[in-house]
Amino acid sequence: MTGHFFEGAEKLLEIWFATSENELGKATTHNDLRNIPRDIIEEVLSLVNCKVLKYAQSATTDTYVLSESSMFVFQTHFILKTCGETTLLHAVQPMLDLARDYCGFDIVDQIFYSRRKFLRPELQKAPHTSFEHEVAYLDSIFEGGSAYVLGRTNVDCWYLYTLDKTCVGTKSDQTLEIIMTDLDPEKMKIFYQEYTSSAAEATKKAGIDKLFPNAKIFDYLFDPCGYSMNGLLPDGHYFTIHITPEPEFSYVSFETNASYSQYQELTRKILQMFNPGKFTTTIFGGTAATSLDGQRKLFHFSDYGRVDHQIVCLVDHDLIYSYYKKHPS
Amino acid sequence: MTGHFFEGAEKLLEIWFATSENELGKATTHNDLRNIPRDIIEEVLSLVNCKVLKYAQSATTDTYVLSESSMFVFQTHFILKTCGETTLLHAVQPMLDLARDYCGFDIVDQIFYSRRKFLRPELQKAPHTSFEHEVAYLDSIFEGGSAYVLGRTNVDCWYLYTLDKTCVGTKSDQTLEIIMTDLDPEKMKIFYQEYTSSAAEATKKAGIDKLFPNAKIFDYLFDPCGYSMNGLLPDGHYFTIHITPEPEFSYVSFETNASYSQYQELTRKILQMFNPGKFTTTIFGGTAATSLDGQRKLFHFSDYGRVDHQIVCLVDHDLIYSYYKKHPS
């Protein structure tokens, strides 16, 4: 590969905090990550090589649209998702320090660091040059880290680092992530300024505004192409979409913590919206919340063959990874 | 680590063949891997750096106890398991050639190459210096190879290479493998010539002769320590045990293709026999044969915590990987 390239594949970090100050690690209003001043958050983001493009708040969530993807800050956890050649893991130690100093969070309750295999790992900066290096970096900060590889190491795969521990805080969260490649160039045209005059227009043309009719949407259309959006839903739910439309390295990601029962239908809508050649779904759920077996029978999509299907039972979560490929037409 | 060391962890290769000569790839008496002359098999084994210590035949199976582990040859598939610094993958291309020339097998129906993470990978010879190198070696021979990592890459893990294809031949086979480390030094004493005068005595003292009362056992006690056995059972079933008893790097493996319904009870007996500090179980089964869900509920062992549990759905097989650690006493 030569010429222009952009690594759409995001590094995705989620850290949950607790405090030993209060019974059972329950957080009080003092224990709130949203107490960290916004300019301090922006300083941390500059270490990662990200700028804030849009910022908004709801009763439960601070949301940032970034020059490279997104950040969400909740009371006891945050999500940072950055693409391109960003150095996301440089945010880990500063965020631990800020969570302790500003919010009294002295316990890291859980961490999830994940990403897809990069298209061009040789362009990444340390410690992101290999999963091995990323794991060594995280192992130098955390005890009891567990590193997993899902999918096929010689084809497409997805990496996860998490802590082998029982969480003291909330366990009821769930996440669906859909990572798509080889996207339909016709569908991708929407995300070029040449064809679409504003982020709001792109959101509408693609039908993103109809995914969750009650969402507050914060969107951004890049010059000359590319798109990011954060959507805030009631009850601390969110969704976020990031689009790298160039046909040579097209990439779209969708992520939400909406309730599990919506995942089948959401996935159908997303596939219709972007028509990818290949995609992976990763679902995290509390072991009680997810019925793995129903899961295995559901999640068949008529135009796609499920090439890989793996289930990982973690301490407090089950993880379901599937890789789909479009049937030859 | 310094001084004497032996890598007990085996490389495990299983290749299934079929033929395009006959309808549906069904094998005839001409299509039989046991037609390959024994001295030719020994030549291939010398490429791997293994010698034959014992050889025997049953109606269904040729069995070899090797200087480093075991070989089993059946009509349409063979199993080669070699430990230490052997170069098992050097046997792949020669075996494909022999299967074609002596048995008319022109189709590789399926391959399984697997191993645990080595204790000392730096002592291995190419292409076994890393899983990445092994995968590249296999990818140069096979199309559609899929490489998986089960367990935690930064702690203990287990590697698998297999072909992403529907088999034309038999699909009804199943396998249980138990890989044990940190073994009870008292139990391991049996496998030293200092304490035990013959292989037969070791087999009896450990109770290996009682695992399958109808087995024909071929066993070997190494000088000064170490033990290998192959057991032939009716209907092409087998079991095999390999023991590296030295406390600094103790390792025991058990493997069988006996029927799935026996696995829970067999695992209990094996744990009682060797009392490992840690062990993994890997179970391969036809997707119809294994009830994954029953599986998840079963296979709890009172002295052990299940640290990892993963399920991989392959084209014709389900694979269940579990990693157990003894509770602190």
Side-chain angles (χ1 to χ4, degrees):
Chain A
M1 280 181 280
T2 54
H4 174 57
F5 174 78
F6 186 78
E7 187 72 69
E10 295 103 348
K11 306 155 184 103
L12 175 55
L13 175 70
E14 186 169 326
I15 302 187
W16 292 75
F17 294 91
T19 169
S20 60
E21 286 168 21
N22 313 307
E23 199 195 351
L24 286 169
K26 283 208 174 78
T28 65
T29 49
H30 161 61
N31 308 123
D32 193 325
L33 292 172
R34 293 169 298 172
N35 295 338
I36 303 170
R38 203 178 128 189
D39 58 330
I40 305 275
I41 294 274
E42 299 205 11
E43 271 176 36
V44 173
L45 290 171
S46 75
L47 297 175
V48 173
N49 301 308
C50 273
K51 276 182 201 129
V52 177
L53 300 178
K54 287 196 170 191
Y55 170 78
Q57 284 187 304
S58 74
T60 57
T61 316
D62 288 5
T63 178
Y64 300 78
V65 177
L66 304 177
S67 54
E68 276 88 5
S69 305
S70 293
M71 186 171 193
F72 293 88
V73 183
F74 307 87
Q75 184 180 5
T76 61
H77 78 289
F78 75 88
I79 296 166
L80 180 55
K81 189 168 193 167
T82 71
C83 59
E85 294 161 27
T86 49
T87 52
L88 179 140
L89 290 182
H90 289 161
V92 173
Q93 190 59 58
M95 284 303 291
L96 300 187
D97 296 342
L98 294 172
R100 188 193 57 231
D101 296 346
Y102 284 90
C103 327
F105 284 131
D106 54 347
I107 297 172
V108 172
D109 206 18
Q110 189 49 277
I111 160 172
F112 301 102
Y113 173 70
S114 67
R115 66 170 175 86
R116 184 190 183 282
K117 192 178 188 172
F118 292 126
L119 274 178
R120 297 191 58 181
E122 74 280 10
L123 299 180
Q124 293 294 318
K125 293 177 184 133
H128 294 286
T129 45
S130 74
F131 185 54
E132 231 177 322
H133 290 142
E134 293 171 321
V135 169
Y137 189 92
L138 287 161
D139 276 344
S140 75
I141 300 175
F142 299 103
E143 295 242 334
S146 304
Y148 299 96
V149 187
L150 283 290
R152 307 177 183 190
T153 62
N154 59 340
V155 186
D156 256 310
C157 66
W158 183 87
Y159 302 103
L160 171 69
Y161 183 95
T162 185
L163 302 184
D164 178 22
K165 60 179 283 196
T166 302
C167 306
V168 299
T170 177
K171 293 177 191 181
S172 62
D173 202 44
Q174 65 282 314
T175 313
L176 165 68
E177 194 183 16
I178 308 173
I179 295 175
M180 293 160 270
T181 55
D182 295 347
L183 291 123
D184 186 337
E186 275 307 306
K187 305 267 188 192
M188 289 296 102
K189 275 190 180 168
I190 297 171
F191 308 101
Y192 283 79
Q193 291 203 354
E194 192 185 342
Y195 301 101
T196 302
S197 64
S198 71
E201 193 189 323
T203 300
K204 238 180 170 168
K205 270 195 200 169
I208 292 168
D209 58 324
K210 293 204 178 65
L211 277 175
F212 297 94
N214 56 352
K216 276 188 195 156
I217 288 180
F218 308 93
D219 45 14
Y220 196 92
L221 187 64
F222 290 83
D223 182 17
C225 66
Y227 172 90
S228 282
M229 67 78 57
N230 292 349
L232 294 185
L233 305 167
D235 303 323
H237 288 159
Y238 70 89
F239 76 113
T240 182
I241 297 176
H242 299 284
I243 298 174
T244 300
E246 291 96 321
E248 300 78 19
F249 41 82
S250 64
Y251 177 95
V252 175
S253 71
F254 168 86
E255 183 190 333
T256 186
N257 68 344
S259 71
Y260 176 74
S261 60
Q262 298 173 262
Y263 290 178
Q264 170 96 349
E265 192 45 32
L266 273 173
T267 306
R268 268 187 222 293
K269 284 182 182 169
I270 292 292
L271 294 178
Q272 206 161 23
M273 195 174 284
F274 300 113
N275 191 22
K278 300 170 188 167
F279 70 97
T280 61
T281 58
T282 52
I283 296 172
F284 272 98
T287 45
T290 45
S291 158
L292 290 179
D293 313 311
Q295 177 55 34
R296 237 170 336 113
K297 280 161 213 153
L298 289 169
F299 284 81
H300 285 283
F301 303 100
S302 54
D303 296 341
Y304 295 87
R306 193 166 62 188
V307 176
D308 267 320
H309 190 58
Q310 285 180 253
I311 298 164
V312 183
C313 303
L314 303 168
V315 179
D316 283 327
H317 296 82
D318 283 350
L319 164 63
I320 304 158
Y321 169 91
S322 305
Y323 178 62
Y324 298 83
K325 232 174 160 168
K326 191 171 257 183
H327 295 306
S329 56
Chain B
M1 280 181 280
T2 55
H4 174 57
F5 174 78
F6 186 78
E7 187 73 66
E10 296 103 348
K11 305 153 185 106
L12 174 56
L13 175 69
E14 186 170 324
I15 303 188
W16 292 75
F17 294 93
T19 169
S20 58
E21 287 168 22
N22 311 307
E23 199 196 350
L24 285 171
K26 282 207 173 80
T28 66
T29 49
H30 161 62
N31 309 123
D32 193 325
L33 292 171
R34 292 168 300 172
N35 293 338
I36 304 170
R38 203 179 128 188
D39 57 330
I40 305 274
I41 293 275
E42 298 205 10
E43 272 176 37
V44 174
L45 291 172
S46 74
L47 297 175
V48 173
N49 301 309
C50 273
K51 275 180 204 133
V52 176
L53 301 177
K54 288 199 169 190
Y55 170 77
Q57 284 187 305
S58 75
T60 56
T61 316
D62 288 5
T63 177
Y64 300 78
V65 177
L66 304 177
S67 52
E68 277 88 4
S69 306
S70 291
M71 186 172 195
F72 293 88
V73 183
F74 306 88
Q75 185 182 4
T76 61
H77 78 290
F78 76 88
I79 296 167
L80 180 56
K81 189 169 194 169
T82 70
C83 59
E85 295 162 27
T86 49
T87 51
L88 179 139
L89 290 182
H90 289 161
V92 173
Q93 190 59 58
M95 285 302 292
L96 300 187
D97 296 342
L98 294 171
R100 189 193 55 230
D101 297 346
Y102 283 91
C103 326
F105 284 132
D106 53 346
I107 297 172
V108 172
D109 206 19
Q110 190 47 279
I111 159 170
F112 300 103
Y113 173 70
S114 67
R115 66 171 176 84
R116 186 191 182 281
K117 192 177 188 170
F118 292 127
L119 274 178
R120 297 190 60 181
E122 74 280 10
L123 299 180
Q124 293 294 317
K125 293 175 185 135
H128 295 286
T129 45
S130 74
F131 184 56
E132 231 177 322
H133 290 141
E134 294 172 320
V135 169
Y137 189 92
L138 287 161
D139 275 345
S140 75
I141 301 174
F142 299 103
E143 294 243 334
S146 304
Y148 297 96
V149 186
L150 284 289
R152 305 176 184 191
T153 62
N154 58 340
V155 187
D156 257 310
C157 63
W158 183 84
Y159 302 103
L160 170 70
Y161 183 94
T162 185
L163 302 184
D164 178 22
K165 60 179 282 197
T166 303
C167 306
V168 297
T170 179
K171 294 176 189 180
S172 63
D173 202 45
Q174 64 282 315
T175 314
L176 165 68
E177 194 183 17
I178 308 174
I179 296 175
M180 293 159 270
T181 54
D182 294 346
L183 291 121
D184 186 338
E186 275 309 306
K187 305 267 186 191
M188 289 296 101
K189 274 191 181 167
I190 296 171
F191 308 101
Y192 282 79
Q193 290 203 356
E194 192 184 342
Y195 301 102
T196 301
S197 64
S198 71
E201 193 189 323
T203 300
K204 237 179 170 169
K205 270 195 200 168
I208 292 168
D209 58 325
K210 294 206 177 63
L211 277 176
F212 296 93
N214 55 352
K216 277 189 195 155
I217 287 180
F218 307 92
D219 45 14
Y220 197 91
L221 187 63
F222 291 83
D223 182 16
C225 66
Y227 172 90
S228 283
M229 68 79 56
N230 293 349
L232 293 185
L233 305 167
D235 304 322
H237 288 159
Y238 70 90
F239 74 113
T240 183
I241 296 177
H242 299 284
I243 298 175
T244 301
E246 290 97 320
E248 299 79 16
F249 42 83
S250 65
Y251 177 95
V252 176
S253 71
F254 168 85
E255 182 190 333
T256 186
N257 68 344
S259 71
Y260 177 73
S261 60
Q262 298 173 263
Y263 291 176
Q264 170 97 348
E265 191 49 31
L266 272 172
T267 307
R268 266 186 223 295
K269 284 182 182 166
I270 292 291
L271 293 179
Q272 205 161 24
M273 195 175 284
F274 299 114
N275 191 22
K278 299 171 188 168
F279 69 98
T280 61
T281 59
T282 52
I283 296 172
F284 272 99
T287 45
T290 43
S291 157
L292 291 178
D293 312 312
Q295 176 56 32
R296 238 170 334 113
K297 281 160 211 152
L298 289 169
F299 284 79
H300 285 283
F301 303 99
S302 54
D303 295 341
Y304 295 87
R306 191 166 63 186
V307 177
D308 267 320
H309 189 58
Q310 285 180 253
I311 298 164
V312 184
C313 303
L314 304 169
V315 180
D316 284 326
H317 296 83
D318 282 351
L319 163 64
I320 303 158
Y321 169 91
S322 305
Y323 177 62
Y324 298 84
K325 231 174 162 168
K326 191 172 256 184
H327 295 306
S329 56

